[in-house]
Amino acid sequence: MKFTLSWLKQHLETSATLDQIVEALTRIGLEVEGVENPGEKLAAFKIAKVLSAERHPQADKLQILSVDAGNGPLQVVCGAPNARAGLVGVFGAPGAYVPGLDVTLKLASIRGVESNGMMCSTRELELGEDHDGIIELPEDAPIGTAYPDYAGLTDPVIDVAITPNRQDCMGVRGIARDLAAAGLGTLTPLTFDTFTSEGAGPDVRTDDTAGCPAFFAQTVTGVTNGESPEWMRRSLIAIGQKPISALVDITNYLMIDLGRPLHVYDRAKLSGGLVARKASDGEQVVALNGKTYTLDATMTVIADDAAVHDIGGIMGGEHSGVSADTTDVLIECAYFDPDHIARTGQKLTLTSDARSRFERGVDPAFLDDGLAIATALVLHICGGTANDVTRSGEPPLEPRVIHYDPRLSADLGGLHVAPERQARTLLSLGFTIGAITSADAFSDALFSTIEGKWPVTIPTWRRDVDGPADLVEEVVRIEGIDNIPSTPLPRMPGVAKPTATPEQKLERRARRAAAARGLDEAVTWSFLSEAEAAPFGGGAWTLANPISEDLKVMRPSLLPGLLAATGRNLKRGAQSVRLFEIGRRYLAEAERATLGVVLAGDRRPRGWREGKAASFDAYDAKAEVIALLAASGAPVDNLQVMGEAGDAWHPGQSGTLRLGPKTVLASFGMLHPSVLKAFDLDGAVAAVEVYLDAIPPKRATGFSRPAYTPPALQAVRRDFAFLVPAALATDTLVRAVKGADKGAIVSARVFDVFTGAGVEDGHKSVAVEIVLQPTAKSFTDEEIKAIADKVVAAAAKQGATLRV
């Protein structure tokens, strides 16, 4: 939120410097994101007078001006229709940067005539949208003076990041209240011009007391909707708001000034009374941003007898907006339920300044005063006559009381603050303590009458305060979090015990192994859109109140987030993407710790030796998953490759690694083309998901395997070539061969697969190498032959025959 220093001082009587204010804001929890001086970028522009204006000899719409900016006449070519002799305006000399054009002026020749700079319009200096002519200043404006100094554009603009819980600081007055409580000045009383009203109030009501509990309104007739006053325009322009008209600017100003959104309707464009009600499914409204929105029955709208005119609390409608011809207005000041506003805004993906305030919670007790202040400004600036106020519904004003023990400041906040000082702090922030209603009303005698826990009444503008801990936070942040003493935690005697859980150690090993293999770690959202979750079976959990429609489904897999990140990298020129992430999948029964990997692009770049680039394939995914499982402590020698991984995976190019038929440790392979299409990815993409929670844990006591001892005797290797049915998985054959003699055979692997000449149709030749390891003595020929016979017999059970 942005505001100027002078704007802040309208609510805060203070002698503090800008630096002191900025430091205090951050100290009390209102982080300052930046401070800028809008006049700095316009420092090179001077007030100048046009001495003469003559027609350009080569262009009918151009004039040659003689301009005096305080250093004598300069020749300037100008195309503005209002350029004339005697005009006083704003001049930019060569070297000045024009922000609205994003150009730096230089000496130029325009249609053969030299031009030494330019006379500027409002839009070119980013001071408004007027571009019909150059700026016209009063005749007595001092020639040669820097324009920012003359126009009062040297007022610093402070940009504060307001956290979602601080709805009271969505207005300048709320920020001033915090600074006053922090000792930087005194909060000025909130005053406004009084006025008289006559005649019956407008016909308004609320039929949706859940979405719009209170709907107050007042009409003003006979208004003139011209430009807003200079002071108001200057304040709005300084913070980046575009001045539109007096009536619109008044509502925008009050929203920033007091945190109270309002809306003004042109009464001539309404048919009958206004009612706050639920929309009908399929109803549409054209909002002030020019877009058409389709509504449903959960949304609160403001409508007349003919149509919807306002998405309640978010944005007004284009049809009933005020214009230069408006003479009679209806000023709406309503209270909208924060939860309803948030859900409607998320469904429509519509954001606005009003929504950001209503969904945080505006002050429900500020309806009458907010409406009166707005009406007074309309009467003062636009004239007219006010009618009576119509009030429909009741805002939620039930008092909330917390019984607070001042000792909690030290117990919970770690900072000892005297009870009297705590009381003054809370009173300064608008809380009341028993019969003490303000810091000015505080006295030792009155304070001494409060016994036991303090009955603290929460102000209506502090929806975020809910318990004693919140009051501790208020006291501590005003005192200064940096004043909390650093107290080390007590240390247990002896050697420190490890704190990492087995699950944390497992994730640590897996993360290090993935990084060591050249994979880049990514961190993606735990929430997805429904479209992203659909290729992976959809999400089991959907948020009822998401921050966005694109972040509402809790992910059933880590791959959607990694695929989205892969797409972003490939579209930005990355040739090879190797990403991994360790996180949680959210399934119907539980959260599951998972490691996801995505491999896309070039596995190997093109080169003089290998030729064209090579892409990733299912074997690359298998190599990664086996290496990651081995590093995670899984018994990879006992794993079985089984079946295809699921609908999201490419049939015939994917599989699972299992311990037995039911315990799935990982899925790997190529992703299905339909999944790649859903994520707008070209080419093949390999992926891996390792289910870390399925990896068997180590035994609680002892070692899972004995210490390594090199064998004393040399191993013996033997090769076998088998003819097997083409449909037989080689993994099945290898497992059978290895199990033929578990005492002697220590490993078995496939080193060749052949089909073609010499191999009958429907079969393949699979060559397997086995390693025999003697222990006490070397194998004899007879022993080796006996083991070979066992190998052949085991293979025969799988339908294999020894190839001779």
Side-chain angles (χ1 to χ4, degrees), residues 140-194:
D140 59 353
I143 306 303
T145 301
Y147 179 65
D149 295 337
Y150 169 79
L153 298 176
T154 56
D155 195 6
V157 176
I158 305 170
D159 187 4
V160 176
I162 307 297
T163 53
N165 63 313
R166 293 305 307 277
Q167 69 280 350
D168 59 307
C169 288
M170 291 299 287
V172 179
R173 185 166 182 82
I175 294 173
R177 183 188 296 112
D178 264 24
L179 288 171
L184 261 71
T186 304
L187 187 68
T188 61
L190 184 60
T191 60
F192 56 91
D193 295 337
T194 59

Side-chain angles (χ1 to χ4, degrees), residues 125-269:
L125 298 185
E126 292 187 339
L127 298 175
E129 293 300 314
D130 184 12
H131 195 56
D132 294 335
I134 57 179
I135 296 172
E136 295 193 38
L137 301 177
E139 293 182 0
D140 59 353
I143 306 303
T145 301
Y147 179 65
D149 295 337
Y150 169 79
L153 298 176
T154 56
D155 195 6
V157 176
I158 305 170
D159 187 4
V160 176
I162 307 297
T163 53
N165 63 313
R166 293 305 307 277
Q167 69 280 350
D168 59 307
C169 288
M170 291 299 287
V172 179
R173 185 166 182 82
I175 294 173
R177 183 188 296 112
D178 264 24
L179 288 171
L184 261 71
T186 304
L187 187 68
T188 61
L190 184 60
T191 60
F192 56 91
D193 295 337
T194 59
F195 58 90
T196 58
S197 58
E198 56 186 43
D203 178 13
V204 300
R205 72 179 191 277
T206 176
D207 291 347
D208 178 16
T209 55
C212 179
F215 186 2
F216 292 9
Q218 189 166 21
T219 55
V220 181
T221 59
V223 302
T224 301
N225 187 25
E227 272 196 350
S228 54
E230 180 62 28
W231 63 267
M232 183 177 288
R233 289 169 51 83
R234 185 179 298 170
S235 296
L236 293 175
I237 290 172
I239 63 172
Q241 290 276 349
K242 173 186 173 183
I244 298 173
S245 68
L247 291 171
V248 177
D249 293 351
I250 287 170
T251 60
N252 288 337
Y253 182 84
L254 290 180
M255 180 174 59
I256 302 297
D257 187 50
L258 303 175
R260 160 40 73 180
L262 303 110
H263 188 63
V264 180
Y265 298 88
D266 187 334
R267 288 190 67 190
K269 299 176 181 178

Side-chain angles (χ1 to χ4, degrees), residues 281-300:
D281 287 330
E283 260 188 317
Q284 292 187 327
V285 60
V286 180
L288 286 171
N289 61 5
K291 297 181 179 180
T292 300
Y293 293 92
T294 301
L295 312 174
D296 64 41
T298 66
M299 302 176 182
T300 302

Side-chain angles (χ1 to χ4, degrees), residues 198-204 217-223 247 263-274 304-305 309 319-323 325-332 385-388 390:
E198 56 186 43
D203 178 13
V204 300
Q218 189 166 21
T219 55
V220 181
T221 59
V223 302
L247 291 171
H263 188 63
V264 180
Y265 298 88
D266 187 334
R267 288 190 67 190
K269 299 176 181 178
L270 301 177
S271 300
L274 285 181
D304 62 10
D305 296 342
H309 291 290
H319 173 70
S320 59
V322 296
S323 64
D325 300 327
T326 298
T327 57
D328 299 338
V329 297
L330 183 149
I331 306 172
E332 167 209 307
T385 303
N387 297 109
D388 291 338
T390 299

Side-chain angles (χ1 to χ4, degrees), residues 602-607 610-614:
D602 296 340
R603 174 175 61 85
R604 184 191 68 232
R606 63 181 182 176
E610 293 87 2
K612 65 180 182 179

Side-chain angles (χ1 to χ4, degrees), residues 55 85 93 211 427 504 566 626 678 684 702 744:
R55 182 170 171 269
L427 292 167
Q504 290 172 327
T566 297
I626 290 176

Side-chain angles (χ1 to χ4, degrees), residues 563 566 570 575-577 598-603 614-618 620 650 653 669-673 675-677 681-687:
L563 290 174
T566 297
L570 292 174
Q575 297 299 311
S576 180
V577 177
V598 167
L599 307 172
D602 296 340
R603 174 175 61 85
S615 58
F616 291 101
D617 56 28
D620 295 310
H650 197 302
Q653 299 183 33
M670 308 304 292
L671 292 175
H672 197 283
V675 174
L676 303 183
K677 183 178 179 180
L681 290 170
D682 297 325
V685 176

Side-chain angles (χ1 to χ4, degrees), residues 381-403:
I381 296 172
C382 304
T385 303
N387 297 109
D388 291 338
V389 176
T390 299
R391 300 173 179 86
S392 178
E394 292 291 337
L397 296 177
E398 299 81 6
R400 295 180 296 139
V401 178
I402 297 174
H403 294 279

